[in-house]
Amino acid sequence: MKTFKITFKLYLQLTLLIYSVLVSFFQSSFAEPKGEDLYLENCAICHGTDGQGGMGIPISLDDFLKSASEDYIKKTIRLGRPNRIMPSFYWMPESDINKIVSYLGSWRKSPAPIWDSKPVKGDQLAGELVYKNKCASCHSENGRGGKGSGLHFSRSNGMIITPPALNNQGLLNSAPDAMLHYIISNGRKDTPMPSASTLGLSKTDINDLVSYIRSFHLKSIIHKPLYSEEPASLIQESPYSFDETVENVKRAITGSNFVHIRDQALTSGFDIETKDSPRQTIIYFCNFSFLYDALKIDPRVGMFLPCRITVTEQQDKVLMMSINPKHLSQLFNNDALDESCDQMYEVYSGILEDASL
Amino acid sequence: MKLILRKFALLLGLLGLIISSNSYSVVTGEMIMVRSAEAFPETMSLLQEAIRHQGYQLSRVQRVDVGLSAKGYATDKYRVVFFGKGNEIQQISAKYPQLIPYLPLKIAIFAEDDNTILISANPSTYNDLFNIPELKPTFDKWFIDITKIMKSVQIQN
């Protein structure tokens, strides 16, 4: 039995040795991604190639980095900011997250802070009052955050950087009280975020504000299901002929204060071999002020523009159809868009209904 | 007994190897998004070239910014590029009309300062959305092709 144990140990050690040699060989030959590559691959789309900001807020400014511990950045990557555009990188291996954190570290001019996890003692209700007076103009009521995405480029929102949501569970699970206290005390240079002295806040005010912000912290993060029961497309049958339906849709579009842009066949602009497909006409329309407001909230919505309703003939039935905007709002991880998507839903379903009366 | 132990140890080693060499997940986001460090006009021509190179035809470029500017809304360049394969679109839309609102394929492309952003829906999510097993290979191919198209205009460092 004893020899058995020894040989087993030996085998195990040998296999593990071979295994670790092989692993290190594989890892070096597959050229492990570097922190910079991982950043460019996953973050630069929103935070910019150099962290200067974009659809996300800047993360290379000195005053941000002075407030951001490595632990804060790590947790922020893992959790994202639910419903505030920044996705959760729940799938990313720990080692990759660490590499991104070190890469952001290369932008630092001073060592990363380490925050105490001790809670700050303050008066939540007093904090709420100060918040309403001093912070809500930017961060909105109840810490919901400003409307818009990161930096504003050509579609101005009146502020250069969108104030982040302070009631966000991604923030609250990443930032300890001491960090919030530091940010409120110092503000952030080169951003609209003012310091406590600029706002005339006392030491007590700062503590009260931290307590107020902390009061949004839930015990656990509630995940909204990605897809609700919403169908992908809105489809309605028309009692009229194909041509009548097209005219009805156009009339309903104008009646909803939208501008009819053009009609075209689905395959228009493509080379096709046979022409005998079902009749399909796409009716494009737009409301420019609505479009402009939606793009300011999230420039990605343009992906579903312009608005369109398709009329098609399928087995002697005339169908009208559109995308379902309620379904779309879930794609963007941005609840600021919910209102626009709901409005769009009303417009689309209204037009489909009007056109089939 | 000895043989079993040896096999077991070997299996353990192999298993570890498989796990460790597969540890890089792929983003399975709802959207495919890419930043190009090139300005808008250069990126736009790279994009159109990449779409053709991948075997697709461009059917239209919607000039969203031109429409907005004409109505007095200040905006930088914003276009939506429509593309696909004519016969494929014709066949799929005839058989599965519920897909029509999602066709042709498209990529939104817009200027952000001196960079350009490209965004597309991720067609592999249509598998869950529409649940049409026959189209799974098509949706997956669209995903791969769009990813290739977008990668080819991504930041080169």
Side-chain angles (χ1 to χ4, degrees):
Chain A
M1 199 59 208
K2 202 176 165 201
T3 42
F4 251 179
K5 267 191 190 156
I6 292 171
T7 26
F8 174 58
K9 256 194 187 163
L10 198 73
Y11 271 125
L12 209 62
Q13 277 168 359
L14 208 69
T15 343
L16 282 177
L17 185 75
I18 296 171
Y19 160 74
S20 52
V21 169
L22 278 176
V23 165
S24 51
F25 167 74
F26 267 86
Q27 287 190 338
S28 56
S29 63
F30 281 133
E32 255 202 272
K34 293 192 304 254
E36 182 176 6
D37 299 334
L38 289 163
Y39 176 83
L40 289 176
E41 185 72 24
N42 296 290
C43 321
I45 174 72
C46 289
H47 290 286
T49 329
D50 308 313
Q52 75 277 19
M55 280 181 282
I57 57 182
I59 51 172
S60 56
L61 292 176
D62 203 30
D63 264 25
F64 161 69
L65 292 167
K66 275 199 225 152
S67 72
S69 65
E70 297 201 324
D71 183 60
Y72 170 74
I73 299 174
K74 220 162 131 167
K75 287 183 172 147
T76 301
I77 297 173
R78 189 59 92 198
L79 298 170
R81 295 277 163 99
N83 300 319
R84 290 286 300 180
I85 302 179
M86 164 114 182
S88 149
F89 291 84
Y90 63 88
W91 49 267
M92 195 180 267
E94 188 78 13
S95 57
D96 284 4
I97 292 189
N98 288 336
K99 282 184 208 158
I100 295 178
V101 173
S102 323
Y103 177 64
L104 297 200
S106 71
W107 295 335
R108 289 184 191 274
K109 297 197 181 106
S110 47
I114 295 170
W115 296 116
D116 198 324
S117 61
K118 243 193 4 243
V120 164
K121 284 204 190 87
D123 179 342
Q124 179 194 325
L125 290 178
E128 184 171 356
L129 270 183
V130 184
Y131 181 87
K132 281 186 172 145
N133 285 328
K134 306 282 187 181
C135 324
S137 56
C138 290
H139 290 279
S140 303
E141 72 283 17
N142 303 320
R144 277 198 294 117
K147 264 197 181 180
S149 56
L151 295 188
H152 302 157
F153 294 93
S154 56
R155 290 167 295 273
S156 168
N157 239 350
M159 178 141 346
I160 313 163
I161 305 175
T162 304
L166 304 181
N167 67 357
N168 192 276
Q169 300 308 310
L171 170 71
L172 294 167
N173 280 292
S174 310
D177 283 1
M179 176 180 169
L180 296 175
H181 190 279
Y182 175 89
I183 297 170
I184 300 169
S185 306
N186 294 278
R188 281 190 183 158
K189 248 194 273 118
D190 305 319
T191 85
M193 173 66 199
S195 66
S197 59
T198 316
L199 291 174
L201 301 176
S202 68
K203 285 217 165 69
T204 325
D205 288 340
I206 301 175
N207 291 344
D208 294 348
L209 281 165
V210 172
S211 297
Y212 174 61
I213 296 172
R214 185 56 62 195
S215 71
F216 295 117
H217 195 164
L218 302 174
K219 292 283 171 291
S220 59
I221 294 190
I222 303 156
H223 286 287
K224 270 209 287 193
L226 197 53
Y227 290 113
S228 61
E229 297 303 301
E230 290 296 333
S233 310
L234 303 175
I235 301 179
Q236 176 137 349
E237 202 180 325
S238 163
Y240 297 97
S241 72
F242 185 88
D243 294 318
E244 282 167 339
T245 306
V246 170
E247 287 315 307
N248 288 350
V249 170
K250 285 196 231 174
R251 191 152 11 90
I253 285 170
T254 324
S256 318
N257 281 325
F258 277 65
V259 183
H260 168 235
I261 305 179
R262 65 170 192 279
D263 307 339
Q264 72 176 55
L266 177 59
T267 50
S268 144
F270 290 110
D271 301 328
I272 40 171
E273 280 150 21
T274 51
K275 292 271 177 220
D276 59 306
S277 57
R279 290 180 76 185
Q280 294 158 334
T281 296
I282 307 179
I283 302 149
Y284 285 101
F285 57 103
C286 190
N287 173 322
F288 288 97
S289 98
F290 181 82
L291 161 63
Y292 193 65
D293 287 340
L295 286 179
K296 281 200 292 195
I297 296 174
D298 193 325
R300 298 172 298 174
V301 294
M303 186 164 99
F304 296 102
L305 292 172
C307 301
R308 66 184 245 196
I309 286 180
T310 308
V311 178
T312 175
E313 205 163 32
Q314 299 285 136
Q315 288 134 13
D316 299 329
K317 272 194 219 158
V318 177
L319 300 177
M320 299 176 287
M321 52 180 77
S322 73
I323 50 165
N324 181 353
K326 281 205 175 161
H327 169 75
L328 297 183
S329 75
Q330 303 163 46
L331 297 186
F332 293 103
N333 182 32
N334 186 356
D335 59 9
L337 275 178
D338 287 358
E339 206 180 302
S340 314
C341 285
D342 286 350
Q343 258 173 292
M344 241 5 261
Y345 175 84
E346 297 304 328
V347 169
Y348 274 132
S349 44
I351 292 174
L352 295 183
E353 207 169 297
D354 278 3
S356 55
L357 282 183
Chain B
M1 189 63 190
K2 212 170 153 186
L3 202 72
I4 294 174
L5 284 180
R6 192 188 338 182
K7 278 195 174 151
F8 173 73
L10 199 72
L11 204 74
L12 203 76
L14 275 176
L15 208 73
L17 189 69
I18 291 166
I19 292 167
S20 70
S21 60
N22 260 351
S23 63
Y24 295 120
S25 354
V26 187
V27 195
T28 50
E30 305 303 308
M31 275 178 280
I32 310 170
M33 302 190 278
V34 146
R35 174 185 292 270
S36 152
E38 298 283 345
F40 183 87
E42 287 78 13
T43 308
M44 182 58 133
S45 38
L46 278 176
L47 172 65
Q48 301 198 357
E49 207 175 287
I51 289 174
R52 290 194 196 98
H53 181 78
Q54 209 57 47
Y56 292 85
Q57 195 179 4
L58 256 95
S59 64
R60 189 184 178 89
V61 177
Q62 182 74 37
R63 299 185 301 163
V64 178
D65 56 302
V66 177
L68 281 171
S69 304
K71 301 278 173 192
Y73 298 99
T75 175
D76 209 335
K77 298 270 183 301
Y78 199 124
R79 310 275 154 94
V80 182
V81 178
F82 292 83
F83 62 100
K85 294 174 181 167
N87 295 323
E88 187 177 63
I89 288 176
Q90 192 182 33
Q91 282 154 19
I92 291 176
S93 64
K95 193 158 177 196
Y96 302 107
Q98 68 270 39
L99 267 160
I100 293 176
Y102 291 80
L103 295 172
L105 304 176
K106 51 188 166 172
I107 292 176
I109 166 171
F110 58 91
E112 194 190 89
D113 224 359
D114 51 3
N115 283 185
T116 308
I117 305 283
L118 295 100
I119 312 262
S120 163
N122 175 352
S124 66
T125 62
Y126 298 169
N127 285 317
D128 283 341
L129 208 51
F130 294 102
N131 196 12
I132 307 172
E134 191 195 357
L135 289 183
K136 184 169 185 337
T138 310
F139 292 156
D140 291 348
K141 176 151 187 7
W142 286 346
F143 168 66
I144 292 168
D145 288 348
I146 293 177
T147 307
K148 279 190 194 155
I149 289 168
M150 307 256 283
K151 289 270 174 194
S152 67
V153 297
Q154 199 178 5
I155 339 158
Q156 253 89 70
N157 55 314

